[in-house]
C-alpha cells in the first residue's frame, strides 16, 4: 500500500514555569492511502500533541518540535515556512476537533464558512465554490442543503453541526483527515451515525484518516490499524485484530479490560491503578513500570527493545524478551 504520511522519531516539548514537559518522545508511524489509523491512550499521553504537530498547530513558544520528521508526499512538514504550511493545511491535510460549536464561527452562516475555505485554497468563482459546498453537505447527509446553507451554527443540532464540520474539512478533498475525538461530545446514537459517515465517506473519496481517541468502542468500529500511546510514546501498534485479540503490552491489556463488556455476564471493569508518569522528568526505563503488575528490575532501568510480532504488530515490553518468564501472554 502507498504511504501517504510518515512520522519519524517525533519529539515535542513545552516550556512551562515548572520546566520542560516532554509531551511526545520519539513517535514513529506510517499512514497508508485510504486507511484509518487510530491513536489511542489516556488523556495527556501525547496523542493530540502528535496530531497537532502534523498540522503544525503547536504554538511556538511554548511548544516546539525538537526532533524528527513528518513526511507528507516526500516533503518534511517540520521544515516548511508558515505560508507554505497554510497551503497544505485545510487543503491536503484537514483536521476536525472534538467540539463542533467551537470549530464553527457563530456569527457567520454555514454557507459563508464553507465557501471561505474553498476560495482560500482553490481558484474557483463564488458560484462554483457554493456548488462544491452544497455537494459536500449532501454527501455528509445534511437534508435540504440549499436551505441549510443560509443558516447559522446555532440552528443546527449537535450531530448536524459535526456533519458540517466534517463537510468543511473534506470540501477541498484532502488526502489526510485528522479527527481528534470527533464523537466525544455527541450522544451514543449520533456517535454511531457519525462513525458510519466516516466509513461511508472513506469508501467514496478514499481519504486516509488518523483518528485520535480514548474510546476503544469507537476504535473497534472504524480503525484498520491501532497505535497505543503511553507517556509520549507508542508502546504497541498493530492491526485492529491483533490489538483486540492478541494484545501484548500490559497497558494495552489494561485499556481493553477497562472497557465495559455488555456481551459477557457478570463481567467486571478492571481499572488501571496509579497514574501516568511526570513528563517533566520521564522515567529512563519503561514509563508504565510504576503501574505494571509484571514489572521486573530491568523495566525501571532500561527502555525495552521493540519486538516485531508480525509485519505490523510491534510492542515495547521486556516481557517479549526471550529470557523473560512467560506469564500471561495468552489470548484474552
Ligand atoms: Fe511492564 Fe516491564 Fe513490560 Fe513495562 S517493560 S510493560 S514494566 S513488563
Amino acid at each position: 500500500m502507498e504511504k501517504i504520511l510518515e512520522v519519524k522519531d517525533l519529539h515535542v516539548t513545552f516550556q512551562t514555569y515548572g520546566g520542560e514537559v516532554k509531551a511526545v518522545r520519539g513517535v514513529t508511524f506510517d499512514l497508508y492511502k485510504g486507511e484509518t489509523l487510530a491513536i489511542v491512550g489516556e488523556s495527556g499521553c501525547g496523542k493530540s500533541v502528535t496530531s497537532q504537530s502534523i498540522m503544525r498547530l503547536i504554538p511556538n513558544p511554548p511548544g516546539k518540535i525538537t526532533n524528527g520528521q513528518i513526511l507528507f508526499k516526500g516533503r518534511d512538514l517540520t521544515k516548511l515556512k508558515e505560508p507554505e504550511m497554510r497551503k497544505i493545511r485545510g487543503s491536503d491535510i484537514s483536521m476536525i476537533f472534538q467540539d463542533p460549536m467551537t470549530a464553527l464561527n457563530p456569527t457567520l452562516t454555514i454557507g459563508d464558512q464553507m465557501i471561505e475555505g474553498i476560495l482560500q485554497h482553490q481558484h474557483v468563482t463564488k458560484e462554483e465554490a457554493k456548488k462544491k459546498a452544497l455537494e459536500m453537505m449532501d454527501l455528509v447527509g445534511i437534508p435540504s442543503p440549499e436551505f441549510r446553507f443560509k443558516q447559522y451554527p446555532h440552528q443546527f443540532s449537535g450531530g448536524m453541526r459535526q456533519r458540517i464540520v466534517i463537510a468543511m474539512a473534506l470540501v477541498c478533498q484532502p488526502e489526510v483527515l485528522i479527527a481528534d475525538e470527533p464523537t466525544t461530545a455527541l450522544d451514543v446514537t449520533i456517535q454511531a451515525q457519525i462513525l458510519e459517515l466516516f466509513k461511508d465517506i472513506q469508501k467514496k473519496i478514499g481519504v486516509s484518516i488518523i483518528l485520535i481517541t480514548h474510546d476503544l468502542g469507537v476504535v473497534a468500529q472504524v480503525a484498520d490499524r491501532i497505535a497505543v500511546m503511553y507517556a509520549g510514546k507508542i508502546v504497541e501498534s498493530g492491526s485492529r485484530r491483533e490489538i483486540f485479540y492478541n494484545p501484548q503490552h500490559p497497558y494495552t491489556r489494561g485499556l481493553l479490560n477497562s472497557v465495559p463488556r455488555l456481551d459477557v455476564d457478570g463481567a467486571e471493569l478492571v481499572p488501571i491503578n496509579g497514574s501516568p508518569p511526570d513528563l517533566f522528568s520521564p522515567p529512563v526505563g519503561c514509563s508504565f513500570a510504576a503501574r505494571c503488575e509484571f514489572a521486573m528490575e530491568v523495566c525501571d532501568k532500561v527502555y525495552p527493545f521493540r519486538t516485531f510480532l508480525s509485519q505490523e504488530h510491534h510492542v515495547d515490553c521486556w516481557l517479549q524478551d526471550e529470557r523473560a518468564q512467560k506469564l500471561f501472554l495468552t489470548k484474552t
Side-chain angles (χ1 to χ4, degrees):
M1 265 204 292
E2 184 192 339
K3 273 184 205 170
I4 196 103
L5 187 79
E6 294 168 72
V7 175
K8 294 182 176 182
D9 196 25
L10 182 70
H11 289 251
V12 185
T13 59
F14 289 88
Q15 295 299 332
T16 70
Y17 289 119
E20 187 181 74
V21 180
K22 296 165 187 74
V24 174
R25 303 185 297 134
V27 161
T28 296
F29 65 84
D30 298 327
L31 179 70
Y32 296 97
K33 195 166 173 50
E35 75 160 351
T36 298
L37 169 72
I39 303 182
V40 297
E42 289 164 291
S43 300
C45 70
K47 55 192 191 305
S48 291
V49 174
T50 301
S51 64
Q52 286 165 17
S53 302
I54 296 170
M55 292 293 279
R56 289 269 309 276
L57 289 175
I58 299 289
N60 180 3
K64 192 172 180 195
I65 297 175
T66 51
N67 190 45
Q69 291 182 307
I70 300 169
L71 299 174
F72 173 67
K73 293 178 159 174
R75 293 173 88 191
D76 186 355
L77 302 185
T78 65
K79 301 272 186 301
L80 295 189
K81 299 220 164 14
E82 183 51 28
E84 290 175 283
M85 200 54 222
R86 223 175 284 139
K87 283 187 205 153
I88 289 178
R89 216 182 277 132
S91 163
D92 296 302
I93 307 178
S94 268
M95 188 159 185
I96 53 178
F97 297 93
Q98 183 174 332
D99 183 357
M101 200 55 196
T102 51
L104 294 168
N105 183 339
T107 67
L108 291 177
T109 63
I110 293 299
D112 283 344
Q113 295 184 61
M114 285 207 63
I115 62 172
E116 188 186 1
I118 306 172
L119 293 174
Q120 200 178 337
H121 291 292
Q122 297 181 357
H123 299 292
V124 292
T125 63
K126 219 170 167 186
E127 267 319 296
E128 286 165 335
K130 181 176 177 185
K131 189 163 168 271
K132 279 174 186 276
L134 290 173
E135 280 168 8
M136 191 48 77
M137 286 170 75
D138 190 42
L139 187 73
V140 300
I142 304 283
S144 318
E146 278 273 6
F147 173 69
R148 293 297 224 164
F149 191 81
K150 299 178 205 119
Q151 290 191 312
Y152 289 85
H154 70 270
Q155 294 171 294
F156 286 68
S157 66
M160 281 295 159
R161 277 199 288 265
Q162 193 59 309
R163 282 176 192 265
I164 286 293
V165 170
I166 294 170
M168 282 170 69
L170 294 174
V171 76
C172 291
Q173 306 221 317
E175 295 190 58
V176 177
L177 175 69
I178 301 173
D180 191 354
E181 304 274 8
T183 57
T184 305
L186 305 173
D187 68 48
V188 190
T189 14
I190 305 297
Q191 180 173 319
Q193 288 173 15
I194 296 294
L195 293 177
E196 213 37 62
L197 177 64
F198 272 119
K199 284 197 266 182
D200 196 36
I201 283 181
Q202 196 169 43
K203 228 181 278 166
K204 284 181 183 149
I205 65 174
V207 64
S208 309
I209 299 176
I210 297 177
L211 177 69
I212 308 290
T213 183
H214 65 277
D215 186 338
L216 285 168
V218 169
V219 171
Q221 289 180 62
V222 292
D224 297 305
R225 287 189 306 127
I226 301 168
V228 180
M229 271 191 88
Y230 186 76
K233 287 177 180 285
I234 291 177
V235 294
E236 184 165 8
S237 180
S239 67
R240 177 176 53 179
R241 171 161 280 278
E242 286 164 332
I243 297 296
F244 276 96
Y245 292 102
N246 189 24
Q248 291 296 310
H249 197 285
Y251 176 62
T252 312
R253 293 177 69 90
L255 280 182
L256 291 167
N257 287 337
S258 56
V259 175
R261 295 283 302 263
L262 299 178
D263 56 330
V264 180
D265 272 349
E268 282 183 27
L269 284 186
V270 186
I272 306 173
N273 291 324
S275 34
D278 179 358
L279 292 181
F280 283 108
S281 62
V284 284
C286 172
S287 315
F288 192 58
R291 304 169 81 182
C292 179
E293 59 181 309
F294 306 104
M296 299 165 276
E297 212 177 316
V298 64
C299 303
D300 272 328
K301 300 199 165 70
V302 188
Y303 189 78
F305 295 121
R306 177 153 292 182
T307 306
F308 281 85
L309 305 163
S310 74
Q311 206 180 344
E312 286 179 4
H313 191 182
H314 63 75
V315 58
D316 295 1
C317 175
W318 279 118
L319 290 176
Q320 298 299 322
D321 190 288
E322 56 189 25
R323 292 158 291 179
Q325 287 183 28
K326 296 296 165 237
L327 295 170
F328 65 87
L329 303 172
T330 52
K331 293 184 178 185
T332 41

